[in-house]
Amino acid sequence: MAHDLSALDEGYLAFWRERQLCTLTTLRPDGSPHVVPVGATFDPATGIARVITSGTSRKAAHVRAAGEAGLRVALCQVDRARWATLEGVAVLREDAESVADGVRRYTERYREPRVNPDRVVIEITVDRALGRA
């Protein structure tokens, strides 16, 4: 079920605030999907979802390789019959301010992450929301 990004209902938004494990799907250079478990956050006011990760991870490499144009990705979570998918274009943010913001948001939803000097943020500009939450 598609949702209007400008009018997401409270149930859908609440689901994105719960401590849920997500998956991030990026595309490999050959076009095949690379799906990995991640922690993610979503800011509905800006339409930005974020995933913190190591800059040496494959998911970061896929996004980095797409350059400034970004890479189309899907971010999903499921809990029994409830599910939600955010789709959009991802870019890699490596500056200290973006990383600190990503860590702060992750800490609010999950817990404080371990120290990682190679940390980056995959920032997704969401243009489609799907789900039943």
Side-chain angles (χ1 to χ4, degrees):
M1 168 193 293
H3 293 269
D4 179 352
L5 280 171
S6 65
L8 294 170
D9 68 63
E10 183 51 37
Y12 192 85
L13 295 175
F15 190 40
W16 278 103
R17 289 189 299 267
E18 292 176 14
R19 189 176 195 269
Q20 298 287 345
L21 185 61
C22 303
T23 61
L24 177 68
T25 302
T26 59
L27 297 177
R28 296 182 181 101
D30 68 1
S32 63
H34 176 256
V35 184
V36 293
V38 296
T41 62
F42 176 51
D43 180 355
T46 61
I48 302 291
R50 292 171 179 83
V51 173
I52 60 173
T53 188
S54 177
T56 60
S57 69
R58 291 305 315 148
K59 58 189 164 288
H62 295 155
V63 175
R64 184 182 289 112
E68 291 181 26
L71 179 70
R72 186 126 189 105
V73 301
L75 184 63
C76 306
Q77 63 183 28
V78 63
D79 178 40
R80 299 180 184 243
R82 297 184 307 156
W83 63 277
T85 299
L86 300 173
E87 296 179 4
V89 176
V91 295
L92 203 64
R93 302 285 185 221
E94 302 182 76
D95 61 284
E97 185 176 333
S98 295
V99 172
D101 183 49
V103 167
R104 179 186 60 79
R105 292 170 187 273
Y106 179 94
T107 300
E108 287 174 6
R109 186 174 187 195
Y110 298 100
R111 60 174 172 71
E112 188 171 339
R114 65 178 174 75
V115 173
N116 180 353
D118 295 325
R119 182 167 286 128
V120 296
V121 177
I122 296 173
E123 185 178 280
I124 305 159
T125 300
V126 176
D127 58 24
R128 189 169 188 206
L130 304 166
R132 182 167 302 166

